[in-house]
Amino acid sequence: MAATLPPFSGEWTHDSAFVAHGSITAPVNRKLEPLGPHFLAHARRKRHNRTFSEDDRIQAEKKVKNIEDDDAGEISEPEDPMMLNRDPKDWKNQDHYAVLGLSKYRWRATDEQIKKAHRRKVLKHHPDKKAASTSGQQQDDSFFKCIQKAMEILSDPVKRRQYDSVDENADVEPPSKKAKGNFYKMWGPVFASEARFSKIQPVPKLGKEDSTKEHVENFYNFWYNFDSWRTFEYQDEDVPDDNENRDQKRYVERKNKAARAKKKSEDITRLRELVDDALSLDPRIKIFKEQERKQRNAKKDAREAAERKAAEEKKAAEEAAAKKKAEEEEAAKANAAAAKKAKEAAKNAVKKNRRVLKGAVKDANYFAEGSASAAIIDAVLSDVELIQGKIDPDELAEIVAKLQAEKEKEKVKAIYVVKANELVEKGKAQKADFKSLLA
């Protein structure tokens, strides 16, 4: 493609006026080539044989994909299935940062990060996109409404500050007084979390073990005079929009104001107690006090050192004695338990052997020929009980062992007869006492 352009010349005067020369030369042919995005789009459509609508759709999809890829690295986090099913009406209990995938940033998230996160979530969860991906089936847009509500809150500085005031997920719980570990690592994140509410920035750092006394004093003075912007409007009860019920509206507003004042007072008390706990546990305070004490009482150091050593030795001796006593008591308890267990075992063994002693005569048909009468049974059992009452557990175990080795009736009876005779010989029983075995 070529065009003919006439040459044009002239000059500027001292008063910034341009005066063209009167002469015009012959036309000059110059070659022009198509440039710019429109020509590239035209060439792309020709190359791929696409219509205007097809090319626009494909380019839009690529643009969305590029945006998702650009944002994925910075603000990507897994989506909780329970969060995806949230009721958008319950937006006050919604974690707006988690909805946008900014849980790890929270109040530190920049406006640009919030915009990127919102854009990425919208591209992923927009109802139109879901409807297109499911061939027009009806889609639940509840989570999309949650996304829009989160963006509404976090993009408004006032609403975001109100939400950040009650964002418990951004809080760092202080360690207990009994917690063991590095004081600075445990308490540093706590004060860093609380510092976000300070009207005065930057907030002094907790410091380390080598911090100066001045630094530590300034740190605690700052926190004891902490000026917080934290508010609690986000937790207000909804004020009725009905203009006809003005009394109810004023009542709810007064109620909300009183509730906010109470929560503010409770938060001030909570922070004061937190600082008190940190101060009481700060090892540097103990060091500073110790240094001051040494400066005031330099002459007493030697005596106090000796007293401390004596106290430590006494304490160590008391602890050793207490430990020894505890060990002795524990050993005594163990021995008593073992003795009790052995006694119970012996008692159970005696019961078992007595059952065997009576069971053996039953198995031997009470030493009767044919059916044993009640009188025979009573006489035999009476003799067996007499034997049981006259022998010790060891003798009882010995008889049981013999009975378990014999099955014949006569041999079984002989065992009982032998034991009965032994008792008579030892004077533990009279022959007449046995109604059956020695009759």
Side-chain angles (χ1 to χ4, degrees):
M1 180 177 180
T4 302
L5 298 176
F8 193 75
S9 61
E11 61 182 2
W12 291 93
T13 63
H14 67 279
D15 57 352
S16 300
F18 184 78
V19 178
H21 292 167
S23 61
I24 299 177
T25 60
V28 177
N29 292 331
R30 297 181 181 178
K31 185 177 181 180
L32 300 178
E33 296 182 354
L35 298 173
H38 297 289
F39 172 75
L40 295 176
H42 170 74
R44 185 174 60 250
R45 290 192 298 271
K46 287 295 184 180
R47 179 182 179 186
H48 298 288
N49 194 24
R50 299 174 185 164
T51 63
F52 277 91
S53 59
E54 288 176 340
D55 188 66
D56 290 343
R57 177 179 57 81
I58 292 172
Q59 290 302 111
E61 290 176 353
K62 288 183 177 180
K63 183 178 179 180
V64 169
K65 182 65 168 58
N66 291 337
I67 292 174
E68 291 179 344
D69 292 342
D70 290 342
D71 294 345
E74 182 180 5
I75 56 176
S76 176
E77 66 182 34
E79 293 179 332
D80 185 353
M82 293 183 64
M83 181 180 66
L84 297 177
N85 295 320
R86 282 196 58 83
D87 182 1
K89 294 180 181 178
D90 187 27
W91 61 270
K92 278 204 171 184
N93 294 318
Q94 170 179 302
D95 186 342
H96 300 305
Y97 289 110
V99 167
L100 295 184
L102 295 169
S103 296
K104 66 180 180 180
Y105 294 99
R106 311 205 75 82
W107 57 274
R108 292 182 294 271
T110 64
D111 293 339
E112 184 63 24
Q113 286 175 323
I114 292 173
K115 291 178 182 178
K116 285 184 178 181
H118 174 254
R119 178 175 57 186
R120 186 168 181 269
K121 293 291 183 178
V122 168
L123 290 173
K124 183 177 181 180
H125 294 284
H126 196 283
D128 293 344
K129 183 174 181 180
K130 290 187 175 181
S133 63
T134 55
S135 302
Q137 296 180 6
Q138 186 174 0
Q139 294 293 322
D140 183 7
D141 62 347
S142 297
F143 186 62
F144 182 73
K145 292 179 180 178
C146 293
I147 295 172
Q148 296 302 85
K149 192 64 181 181
M151 185 60 181
E152 175 190 337
I153 298 297
L154 300 183
S155 62
D156 186 314
V158 176
K159 292 181 179 179
R160 182 181 181 186
R161 172 163 282 202
Q162 292 175 355
Y163 175 68
D164 286 340
S165 292
V166 297
D167 183 12
E168 296 180 352
N169 293 311
D171 295 338
V172 177
E173 290 296 326
S176 67
K177 291 185 177 181
K178 296 182 180 180
K180 302 295 183 181
N182 186 291
F183 171 83
Y184 312 100
K185 290 183 178 180
M186 291 191 299
W187 282 92
V190 177
F191 284 105
S193 173
E194 297 292 340
R196 70 187 192 272
F197 300 124
S198 176
K199 291 182 180 179
I200 302 174
Q201 296 290 341
V203 176
K205 302 294 183 181
L206 177 61
K208 297 294 182 181
E209 61 274 1
D210 57 352
S211 299
T212 64
K213 180 181 178 182
E214 181 182 6
H215 173 89
V216 176
E217 289 178 347
N218 289 338
F219 173 82
Y220 285 106
N221 286 336
F222 177 88
W223 283 99
Y224 276 120
N225 297 281
F226 190 76
D227 190 5
S228 173
W229 56 258
R230 191 176 193 182
T231 59
F232 297 90
E233 290 92 344
Y234 190 84
Q235 296 176 339
D236 281 355
E237 179 182 340
D238 293 335
V239 179
D241 294 332
D242 187 2
N243 294 327
E244 296 180 0
N245 197 349
R246 296 182 179 178
D247 291 338
Q248 176 66 15
K249 183 176 181 180
R250 284 194 287 267
Y251 168 75
V252 174
E253 289 175 346
R254 289 196 301 270
K255 184 179 178 182
N256 285 337
K257 184 178 180 180
R260 290 197 298 269
K262 181 180 178 181
K263 291 174 182 177
K264 184 71 174 180
S265 177
E266 290 174 348
D267 185 63
I268 293 173
T269 302
R270 177 195 63 83
L271 184 60
R272 174 60 63 91
E273 292 176 351
L274 184 149
V275 178
D276 287 342
D277 291 343
L279 181 66
S280 66
L281 297 172
D282 195 329
R284 298 169 300 185
I285 301 299
K286 298 177 182 178
I287 294 174
F288 296 150
K289 288 183 178 180
E290 182 68 13
Q291 291 174 347
E292 292 174 356
R293 189 196 64 77
K294 286 183 177 181
Q295 291 175 359
R296 292 192 305 266
N297 306 292
K299 296 180 180 180
K300 300 179 182 179
D301 285 348
R303 177 175 57 82
E304 291 179 353
E307 291 176 353
R308 284 197 301 271
K309 184 177 180 180
E312 290 174 358
E313 292 176 350
K314 180 180 178 182
K315 182 179 179 181
E318 291 175 350
E319 291 177 350
K323 183 178 179 182
K324 183 178 179 181
K325 182 179 178 181
E327 291 175 350
E328 291 174 350
E329 291 176 351
E330 189 67 23
K333 289 181 180 179
N335 293 335
K340 183 179 179 181
K341 185 175 181 181
K343 185 177 180 181
E344 291 292 331
K347 185 177 179 181
N348 293 333
V350 169
K351 291 181 179 180
K352 180 179 178 181
N353 289 338
R354 287 181 176 178
R355 290 195 297 270
V356 173
L357 209 62
K358 290 184 177 181
V361 297
K362 181 180 179 182
D363 294 340
N365 195 29
Y366 302 100
F367 313 128
E369 297 295 338
S371 179
S373 65
I376 293 175
I377 294 173
D378 184 62
V380 173
L381 290 178
S382 178
D383 289 353
V384 172
E385 289 176 355
L386 179 59
I387 292 174
Q388 287 178 349
K390 299 296 184 180
I391 61 177
D392 58 30
D394 293 337
E395 292 176 306
L396 179 60
E398 182 181 353
I399 295 176
V400 169
K402 292 178 180 180
L403 290 173
Q404 289 176 340
E406 297 293 344
K407 299 297 181 183
E408 295 181 10
K409 179 168 61 177
E410 294 301 327
K411 291 182 178 181
V412 171
K413 182 178 180 180
I415 294 172
Y416 287 97
V417 172
V418 169
K419 182 52 67 174
N421 285 325
E422 287 181 1
L423 293 176
V424 172
E425 291 175 359
K426 293 178 180 180
K428 293 183 178 181
Q430 299 295 323
K431 184 175 182 179
D433 295 336
F434 294 96
K435 301 177 182 180
S436 173
L437 295 176
L438 302 180

